[in-house]
Amino acid sequence: MRCSLAAFFALSLAVASLAEPTLSPYNVHEKRSAIPFGWSNTRRHDSAAILPLRIALKQSNLEFIDEYLNDVSHPKSANYGKHWTAGEISRKFSPSKESISTVRDWLVENGLASERIRVSPTKGWINVDVTVEEAERLMNTEYNVYTHVSGQEHVACEAYHLPEHISTHVDFVLPSVNFDAKLKRRSEPNGGIGQPGVGITPKTAGTISQAVTELEQCDEYITPICLRALYELVYEPVSTDKNSFGVVEYTPQAYLYSDLQMFAMNFSTDLIGKEPMMVSIDGGYAQTEYQGFDYNGESDLDLQYGMTLVTGKQNVTLYQTGDMVEGASFNNFLDAIDGSYCTFEGGDNYTVDSQYPDPYGGGYEGPEDCGTVTPAYVISTSYGYNEADLTPFYTARQCAEYAKLGLMGVTILYSSGDYGVAGNEDYCLNPNGTQSPTGKIFNPTFPGTCPYVTSVGATMVKPNATVFQAQPEMACMDVIYSGGGFSNYFAMPSYQKTAVDYYLETYPPDYPSDIWNSTGMSRALPDISANGANYVVAVDGEFELVYGTSCSSPVSGAIFTMINDARLAVGKSTIGFINPTIYSAEFAGAFNDITEGSNPGCGTEGYNATIGWDPVTGLGTPNFPKLLASWLALP
């Protein structure tokens, strides 16, 4: 896995020599390629206006994070399973004293009084309030005010520059080129990641008249018994007091207790009367003001199947994130489970992340949750952005946090998307970097493109097939298409190089190189897959058929939670970051290879499912007995 983040910077940053100040030449540090759809450059910003400039300092040893993670995650490592503590991680990655002093000295030399300069308690960033004129002089840039069609304004620049001797100590500066402004809609539910129509969401084909429990009908109706048969998941947990499984939901997405009970009475009687253990983050709660599939479908799906597959013996934690007004992002969740992340590399970006206490009033007035929540050993999230929605620096910052969680023994799963090679809502990229329904360039999803998470695609039972056949599944091509492809931001990690190289050499995609990342050097997704079609889910008092990688992620999370249970029962560690393990020779054949189907999008048929890894279904679907035996054989 060496050099994934280092190579990411090489893939993502343009470096051009410009001015020649006294100490060293200025170089482009970060540049935006286009103004997002719906925004326009209205005017130059007032030179006397105040900007809260935040300079994110480079973390020590971050270039070795691949090596550290591989050391505790690869099955051949002598340190497999010897995960780090939060304190060890904090000490290893704190910025150096040299970085702090070098950046501080540069600011003072450029006329900023030392008393104006503040260093965060965690030493992760330097904060200084400056005028627009001072910021423009410091970074050879121009700040403009941009206006959205909704009337909201946003301050940003097209590019900014830093002296060569400073840029080596800085990851990024805020505010700058980030242009992912989270639109405030105060009279209705928030516009965050949990809002209907935002990011990856499940799809429904409507209600069904009655619950179905027959194994012979799994090609039409997926129920827990179908999944147990498909993946041979026959296991009763015995270490539930030591184990943990978490599902993340973003308000206004919320489950209904009556739906959980309706599902339990039909499919999991040991869950009658039970609910998940809800942990509220930044004012999150199971809201009931808004109901319907768009508000209850995701959470009902995740919890009904996640809780059922780990059985009533294993408690499931629900991380309900964000209030009804501000909402939340992935970073708000990460803040809660790791306090140091609140200020890591400059802290959250409030054009994307929600700010608490709510600065506008009307929302959650309590303090932001920072390090208040214990992460579960397996965490499943069925939400996602298009990679192009976010800047390279924003995604890199978040991706590094997933690596740290892996070092702590946490398994992170994300859905890969439901639009094949296209992004959410079937948007594809244009040559100028914008996204549109008429774009032709493949558009991968994030966080699935981060090499430190496990990206989960979707399969379906073939029409007229039964679960008793040798291979009854194919890539999902009913209602949704399994998200997959190649990152435009992150380099290929070493753990998947052999598998992906084989695919590219044996089944080279027959597309022009300008519509997909054909370099053979980028992170490929998904890593694995699970069934994502025809799920019978209780939603608002009726059973509906639900589709999406939103189904696949919690099911996979439940399976890995049961493997953790077996390891904990014999005194072994949790499985943690699983990617180096599942791609290794030791785990060959531990997944059911999917060789039929494709993932259309962007006016193409997408990629094909093939023998071995492919950018439609990854390594395949879990074979629980084989995975369990392989993981129990490890130290």
Side-chain angles (χ1 to χ4, degrees), residues 365-434:
E365 299 294 343
E368 177 187 22
D369 282 304
C370 287
T372 59
V373 176
T374 301
Y377 287 136
V378 176
I379 299 176
S380 170
T381 303
S382 296
Y383 303 79
Y385 296 98
N386 295 341
E387 187 180 63
D389 290 342
L390 307 166
T391 65
F393 275 109
Y394 183 94
T395 57
R397 172 183 182 270
Q398 191 175 112
C399 189
E401 179 66 8
Y402 295 128
K404 292 179 184 179
L405 289 171
L407 280 170
M408 294 171 64
V410 177
T411 304
I412 303 290
L413 305 174
Y414 273 97
S415 300
S416 70
D418 297 340
Y419 293 89
V421 297
N424 293 322
E425 304 310 313
D426 221 15
Y427 273 46
C428 297
L429 292 167
N430 298 303
N432 65 358
T434 59

Side-chain angles (χ1 to χ4, degrees), residues 92-269:
K92 180 63 70 173
F93 298 109
S94 294
S96 68
K97 293 181 179 178
E98 180 188 3
S99 291
I100 297 172
S101 62
T102 300
V103 174
R104 178 191 282 273
D105 290 346
W106 169 63
L107 294 173
V108 172
E109 290 166 3
N110 279 272
L112 302 182
S114 59
E115 56 267 24
R116 295 171 60 187
I117 303 167
R118 302 181 303 279
V119 180
S120 72
T122 60
K123 314 300 183 185
W125 54 293
I126 289 179
N127 189 15
V128 56
D129 293 337
V130 297
T131 64
V132 169
E133 181 181 14
E134 288 174 322
E136 292 180 341
R137 176 172 51 82
L138 273 171
M139 300 186 295
N140 283 2
T141 189
E142 292 183 356
Y143 277 93
N144 300 308
V145 176
Y146 298 81
T147 304
H148 191 260
V149 291
S150 66
Q152 180 175 327
E153 293 187 337
H154 176 67
V155 175
C157 58
E158 298 289 333
Y160 65 95
H161 312 79
L162 294 176
E164 195 172 78
H165 77 288
I166 295 299
S167 64
T168 57
H169 296 282
V170 172
D171 270 330
F172 59 90
V173 178
L174 295 176
S176 58
V177 300
N178 284 283
F179 221 103
D180 310 295
K182 183 165 67 66
L183 301 178
K184 303 290 190 298
R185 297 181 288 176
R186 310 301 295 180
S187 61
E188 57 184 277
N190 68 76
I193 191 67
Q195 185 67 20
V198 176
I200 299 171
T201 57
K203 285 75 181 170
T204 178
T207 61
I208 57 177
S209 59
Q210 61 184 15
V212 181
T213 59
E214 298 298 323
L215 279 172
E216 289 77 13
Q217 294 176 285
C218 293
D219 62 324
E220 298 179 84
Y221 308 102
I222 287 291
T223 61
I225 194 173
C226 294
L227 296 170
R228 291 190 179 280
L230 284 170
Y231 309 133
E232 300 182 54
L233 179 59
V234 181
Y235 183 83
E236 286 293 324
V238 294
S239 301
T240 55
D241 58 329
K242 303 175 185 177
N243 203 9
S244 55
F245 177 33
V247 174
V248 187
E249 303 292 347
Y250 291 87
T251 311
Q253 296 295 325
Y255 75 93
L256 293 178
Y257 176 76
S258 57
D259 288 341
L260 294 189
Q261 297 312 299
M262 180 179 175
F263 190 85
M265 286 186 287
N266 284 273
F267 302 112
S268 48
T269 53

